[in-house]
Amino acid sequence: QYTECESDMARTLYLHLGMNKSGSTTIQRSFYNYSDSRLSYFRANSSNHFGLLLNRWRRSCGLPIESTEKGLSLSMVELEIDRLNDELENGEKSLILSGEALSGWRFPSEAIEPTVLDFAQHFDEVVGIAYIREPVSYIRSSMQQHVKRFPGRFDLNFHYPHYKRRLGCWVAVLSEWDLQLVPFSREYFHNQDLISDFELRVGAEQSVKRRNIENSSLSAEAFSLMWKYHKDLGSRYTKDEKLLLMKRAEYLLMDYGSRNFEISEEKCR
């Protein structure tokens, strides 16, 4: 379902919660420079606002802030928080904030309610939007991503999405406002297109310049060889050495094999 503002003058915060593995980076990079007469995407150092929102909460609690982006100093983090606070307090447009890790374990559950209640002081409406990928497809995509970055994580249990646990607090807090949970599938998208769907949900007056993110995938044969290679490396190498060796193996195996990497639904139960 799509929720429209009751009035064109209503100021709305659109809080894009991801989830991860559901086109979040494509949405963020496509909307990064977006602005029209009533709506803008908050332009920070990164198109992903997770680190900014986490540090904003940490500072409000008197906790030390952390740099979550390479090359971003703590003084720059402070300035970004100040800029966001100024936009919240003095801005007139509706606003989009986006961060897929907001619905993950890295954003503390105790931060959700105070964050939303604080936002609600500055907006007439708060709308949460989360795209949710089918679990088996999520596990397959997560394993492909982690074999490249964290090559030891081959356990299916590690990749299980735990949607109820991750979204439960957001559902409870945003029930007073609006939370749109959207299956990540073309058949549920407006015009069968993710960006068109998000444009409609936030009431964008203009079409954005699309920046599609294509992730390369290993074949079933290549993935099996990566798993065997990691096992054979054992404890002979340091963590950093093993990561470097796995990345070299990934590069050599990227075009190897012909079968699609699939996960049995029964194995995921």
Side-chain angles (χ1 to χ4, degrees):
Q1 294 184 349
Y2 300 94
T3 301
E4 297 181 359
C5 295
E6 295 181 0
S7 167
D8 289 339
M9 299 301 293
R11 190 180 185 216
T12 303
L13 172 66
Y14 296 99
L15 196 56
H16 174 228
L17 305 172
M19 302 175 77
N20 57 336
K21 317 309 301 177
S22 58
S24 296
T25 303
T26 294
I27 289 175
Q28 291 159 0
R29 294 187 181 178
S30 296
F31 275 83
Y32 184 51
N33 292 312
Y34 186 82
S35 181
D36 62 32
S37 64
R38 60 163 291 273
L39 172 72
S40 64
Y41 189 94
F42 184 72
R43 185 165 184 178
N45 181 70
S46 170
S47 60
N48 186 335
H49 300 131
F50 165 73
L52 172 60
L53 296 178
L54 175 63
N55 278 314
R56 181 176 182 270
W57 172 76
R58 290 181 64 87
R59 192 173 80 170
S60 71
C61 298
L63 298 172
I65 61 173
E66 304 170 347
S67 179
T68 57
E69 299 284 338
K70 279 189 175 182
L72 192 64
S73 67
L74 294 183
S75 61
M76 292 173 67
V77 174
E78 294 275 8
L79 287 173
E80 288 210 323
I81 296 173
D82 291 338
R83 279 205 313 111
L84 175 58
N85 286 340
D86 182 66
E87 177 65 28
L88 295 175
E89 294 170 9
N90 302 311
E92 297 181 352
K93 291 184 180 183
S94 294
L95 193 67
I96 302 171
L97 293 172
S98 173
E100 62 270 30
L102 292 171
S103 55
W105 60 268
R106 294 172 60 197
F107 196 75
S109 58
E110 63 269 23
I112 294 173
E113 184 173 18
T115 296
V116 173
L117 291 178
D118 180 66
F119 286 153
Q121 297 181 54
H122 307 290
F123 295 89
D124 301 301
E125 301 285 343
V126 178
V127 177
I129 302 172
Y131 292 93
I132 304 174
R133 190 165 182 163
E134 186 274 324
V136 176
S137 174
Y138 175 96
I139 292 171
R140 181 176 65 244
S141 179
S142 179
M143 292 187 75
Q144 283 278 355
Q145 178 185 19
H146 279 78
V147 76
K148 302 169 189 174
R149 298 185 183 179
F150 313 102
R153 295 176 177 174
F154 290 96
D155 183 5
L156 285 178
N157 292 324
F158 174 84
H159 299 279
Y160 190 78
H162 298 287
Y163 288 140
K164 288 184 178 180
R165 187 173 69 193
R166 292 168 57 189
L167 278 173
C169 290
W170 287 104
V171 171
V173 173
L174 285 171
S175 60
E176 183 178 340
W177 290 277
D178 183 12
L179 176 59
Q180 301 176 22
L181 304 178
V182 189
F184 184 68
S185 176
R186 288 183 181 276
E187 63 186 290
Y188 293 97
F189 297 159
H190 176 64
N191 290 338
Q192 297 189 330
D193 178 78
L194 174 65
I195 297 300
S196 294
D197 188 84
F198 193 77
E199 287 173 343
L200 181 62
R201 291 181 187 278
V202 300
E205 295 176 351
Q206 308 162 11
S207 294
V208 302
K209 184 176 180 179
R210 297 160 185 269
R211 300 184 183 277
N212 294 322
I213 309 301
E214 299 292 339
N215 294 317
S216 56
S217 298
L218 294 166
S219 68
E221 298 94 331
F223 195 95
S224 298
L225 287 172
M226 289 283 285
W227 178 84
K228 181 66 166 60
Y229 183 49
H230 179 267
K231 188 175 180 180
D232 289 345
L233 289 176
S235 58
R236 292 177 293 163
Y237 300 93
T238 66
K239 181 179 179 181
D240 289 341
E241 289 173 337
K242 189 181 293 187
L243 179 60
L244 180 60
L245 289 169
M246 291 294 286
K247 285 189 175 295
R248 287 177 178 172
E250 176 206 343
Y251 174 78
L252 293 171
L253 292 170
M254 185 53 67
D255 295 323
Y256 174 77
S258 59
R259 296 168 55 196
N260 290 334
F261 174 72
E262 300 289 348
I263 296 292
S264 167
E265 184 174 344
E266 291 299 318
K267 294 290 185 182
C268 295
R269 293 187 184 278

